[in-house]
């Protein structure tokens, strides 16, 4: 019987095992780049005159702005009566607060993410970006299984990087053949059968030549079958036979052809639920799940945002662009129902909507975030029980002042930049004690 190994993801909330309380720089005006990590070992003082912020060069901070100190097993942040305040999770601090894993901290023009990180956060030799403990664990386990012949089943929501993980398995496996991917949910049953197993010339109308199919195309390498949960049940029977016999018979063919293929499958569905509903064969599920691994959603690993933003901006030819603090905070607070794919979409909008070197939380970006928040996970998603998407926090006092300064105190464009109506901006200014007349030129 196949040995099944399941990775049950664990969201770390305290100082267990060897993980270290850390701050990850997400946005900063100075030399410190996105993804810079500061392990916490002693009290840190933040402010223009404090050692902790020399690398940040943040002139928007007060001279002595805030303090992060250890209290037992916790780390506590308190504002030191700064002029612009300190926010955690989009809310201004009014008293000392225990930091939780994933908290976004804003001080001046800097946004930092608090997280418990493993000691070797930078070990990404598989192309799976991320500092988080969950990505560290995923890389470790994928590297471990890669050199074994096990079939791998990847579970995860849309956009969590299942194909990236499949390529990582192939890269670490040492197999010299190609990596071939097929989306099982994008084809009709007849087309999928032909794509999987190949066909002989004349096997059906339009089959004017022989076709090898993806199993033979991936011979000696790895075949990635995405959306395996969408495959028709009758084709699942044929797939199971190929996996067990290591031979494939093309449509219209009379003979079995040997294949040497490592299969990695993926789904954003709950396989056990699909089996109970009669939509997935139990024996196929058992054969695929020789090693099952769940990839965590982005909302469970917000500390990876800095790394992911850097990777995505580089791919889009915008490596030198920086994040405005209000945009960084909005990204850190977002629920990300489409995960990394959704982050890519929002950054694409920001690049187009921000003409300067700094990406802003402009109205188009705010609309993209709002539209994404309306998306709900599918009922049969493999994610953990899902809370309601994070509500977009109101801009804090620093974001309001930034917008007013950028637009010379003009309320309408400042409101648009913040994704607010004029009336909402007036109410926000009154609530935060910001004198609008002080910004008019």
């Amino acid at each position: 019987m196949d040995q099944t190994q399941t990775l049950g993801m664990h969201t770390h909330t305290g100082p267990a095992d060897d993980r270290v309380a850390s701050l990850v720089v997400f946005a900063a005006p100075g030399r410190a780049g996105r993804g810079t990590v500061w392990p916490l070992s002693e009290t840190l003082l933040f402010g223009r005159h404090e050692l902790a912020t020399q690398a940040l060069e943040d002139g928007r901070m007060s001279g002595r702005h805030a303090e992060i100190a250890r209290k037992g097993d916790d780390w506590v942040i308190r504002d030191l009566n700064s002029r612009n305040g300190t926010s955690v999770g989009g809310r201004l601090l009014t008293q000392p607060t225990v930091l939780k894993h994933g908290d976004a901290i804003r001080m001046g023009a800097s946004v930092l993410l608090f997280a418990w990180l493993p000691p070797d956060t930078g070990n990404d030799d598989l192309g799976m970006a991320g500092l988080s403990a969950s990505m560290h664990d995923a890389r470790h386990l994928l590297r471990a299984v890669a050199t074994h012949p096990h079939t791998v089943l990847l579970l995860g929501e849309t956009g969590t990087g299942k194909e990236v993980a499949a390529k990582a398995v192939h890269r670490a496996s040492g197999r010299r053949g190609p990596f071939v991917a097929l989306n099982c949910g994008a084809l009709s049953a007849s087309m999928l059968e032909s794509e999987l197993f190949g066909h002989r010339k004349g096997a059906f109308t339009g089959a004017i030549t022989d076709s090898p199919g993806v199993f033979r195309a991936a011979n000696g390498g790895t075949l990635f079958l995405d959306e395996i949960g969408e495959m028709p049940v009758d084709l699942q029977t044929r797939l199971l036979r190929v996996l067990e016999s290591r031979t494939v018979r093309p449509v219209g063919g009379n003979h079995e052809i040997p294949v040497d293929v490592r299969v990695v499958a993926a789904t954003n569905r709950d396989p056990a639920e699909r089996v109970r509903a009669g939509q997935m064969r139990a024996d196929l599920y058992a054969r695929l799940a020789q090693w099952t691994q769940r990839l965590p959603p982005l909302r469970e690993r917000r500390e990876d945002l800095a790394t992911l933003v850097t990777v995505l901006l580089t791919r889009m030819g915008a490596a030198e662009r920086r994040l405005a603090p209000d945009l960084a905070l909005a990204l850190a607070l977002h629920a990300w129902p489409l995960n990394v794919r959704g982050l890519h979409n929002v950054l694409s909008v920001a690049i187009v909507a921000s003409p300067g070197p700094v990406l802003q939380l402009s109205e188009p970006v705010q609309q993209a975030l709002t539209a994404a928040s309306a998306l709900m996970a599918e009922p049969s998603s493999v994610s953990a029980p899902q809370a309601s998407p994070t509500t977009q926090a109101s801009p804090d006092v620093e974001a309001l002042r930034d917008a007013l300064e950028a637009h010379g105190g003009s309320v309408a464009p400042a409101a648009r930049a913040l994704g607010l109506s004029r009336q909402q901006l007036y109410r926000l200014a009154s609530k935060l004690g910001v004198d609008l007349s002080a910004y008019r030129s």
Side-chain angles (χ1 to χ4, degrees):
M1 181 176 295
D2 295 326
Q3 182 68 35
T4 300
Q5 173 68 42
T6 301
L7 171 63
M9 297 308 301
H10 170 63
T11 301
H12 189 75
T13 57
D17 47 70
D18 60 348
R19 294 173 192 174
V20 179
S22 306
L23 295 175
V24 182
V25 177
F26 191 19
R31 291 190 303 271
R34 286 187 300 267
T36 300
V37 178
W38 291 342
L40 295 174
S41 58
E42 58 186 16
T43 298
L44 281 183
L45 291 173
F46 291 83
R48 289 197 311 274
H49 309 313
E50 301 300 339
L51 180 64
T53 54
Q54 286 184 358
L56 293 176
E57 297 180 351
D58 192 341
R60 296 281 182 95
M61 289 189 188
S62 299
R64 285 170 57 85
H65 195 104
E67 173 191 85
I68 297 178
R70 186 166 193 157
K71 186 175 181 180
D73 287 337
D74 295 320
W75 287 88
V76 177
I77 184 171
R78 66 186 182 100
D79 184 74
L80 301 177
N81 298 314
S82 62
R83 181 174 68 92
N84 294 324
T86 300
S87 72
V88 175
R91 294 178 175 83
L92 283 174
L93 288 180
T94 57
Q95 59 186 6
T97 299
V98 175
L99 289 170
K100 302 185 300 298
H101 180 80
D103 272 345
I105 305 163
R106 177 163 181 184
M107 297 176 283
S110 301
V111 177
L112 311 174
L113 302 170
F114 176 82
W116 295 92
L117 299 179
D120 54 344
T121 54
N123 185 12
D124 176 28
D125 58 344
L126 294 181
M128 298 174 64
L131 304 171
S132 63
S134 58
M135 290 305 293
H136 171 270
D137 292 345
R139 287 192 295 265
H140 171 74
L141 290 173
L142 287 173
R143 193 179 290 110
V145 74
T147 54
H148 295 270
H150 295 55
T151 303
V152 175
L153 179 62
L154 301 172
L155 307 180
E157 297 175 11
T158 296
T160 49
K162 296 186 288 295
E163 184 165 351
V164 172
K167 289 179 179 178
V169 172
H170 175 66
R171 188 177 296 115
S173 70
R175 296 181 65 84
R176 297 186 177 182
F179 176 89
V180 177
L182 178 67
N183 187 328
C184 299
L187 300 171
S188 66
S190 58
M191 291 183 64
L192 180 58
E193 182 181 28
S194 175
E195 285 293 318
L196 281 169
F197 312 119
H199 62 257
R200 293 299 189 192
K201 178 180 177 180
F204 51 84
T205 302
I208 58 176
T209 61
D210 287 352
S211 173
V214 291
F215 270 97
R216 291 168 64 191
N219 196 51
T222 302
L223 174 60
F224 175 54
L225 298 177
D226 198 8
E227 296 191 29
I228 191 71
E230 308 303 319
M231 181 179 289
V233 174
D234 57 338
L235 286 186
Q236 293 179 27
T237 304
R238 288 200 62 188
L239 174 60
L240 178 61
R241 176 172 175 77
V242 173
L243 294 176
E244 291 181 337
S245 68
R246 298 292 175 179
T247 61
V248 62
R249 177 182 293 185
V251 178
N254 298 318
H255 303 290
E256 304 286 341
I257 301 172
V259 289
D260 172 22
V261 176
R262 169 47 158 322
V263 172
V264 179
T267 180
N268 61 0
R269 305 282 189 171
D270 181 344
E273 181 180 312
R274 303 286 282 181
V275 170
R276 287 192 295 269
Q279 297 167 323
M280 188 172 194
R281 290 181 59 100
D283 49 3
L284 176 62
Y285 172 44
R287 186 62 179 77
L288 292 173
Q290 292 181 337
W291 183 283
T292 301
Q293 185 159 328
R294 174 177 173 259
L295 299 178
L298 185 52
R299 64 181 172 276
E300 291 181 8
R301 55 183 188 107
R302 297 176 192 273
E303 63 272 30
D304 288 339
L305 278 168
T307 302
L308 291 170
V309 165
T310 299
V311 169
L312 293 174
L313 289 181
T314 299
R315 290 177 183 171
M316 290 185 277
E320 301 304 316
R321 308 290 288 273
R322 292 191 293 112
L323 303 183
D326 54 340
L327 174 58
L329 187 61
L331 298 182
L333 298 178
H334 191 59
W336 298 116
L338 294 180
N339 296 289
V340 180
R341 188 171 296 139
L343 177 62
H344 180 280
N345 293 344
V346 170
L347 291 175
S348 298
V349 174
I351 289 171
V352 174
S354 304
V358 180
L359 302 180
Q360 303 289 343
L361 183 62
S362 59
E363 185 174 3
V365 175
Q366 184 68 62
Q367 290 173 350
L369 289 168
T370 301
S373 292
L375 299 175
M376 300 298 291
E378 296 182 19
S380 55
S381 168
V382 300
S383 64
Q386 182 162 328
S388 298
T390 303
T391 301
Q392 188 69 42
S394 297
D396 61 15
V397 65
E398 190 68 24
L400 176 59
R401 286 174 171 155
D402 287 346
L404 289 169
E405 288 178 359
H407 297 282
S410 181
V411 171
R416 284 195 296 271
L418 293 171
L420 303 174
S421 67
R422 289 167 56 94
Q423 292 75 17
Q424 287 174 321
L425 188 143
Y426 282 121
R427 288 196 295 270
L428 182 64
S430 176
K431 174 183 175 182
L432 298 178
V434 174
D435 181 6
L436 297 178
S437 64
Y439 294 88
R440 293 180 184 133
S441 53

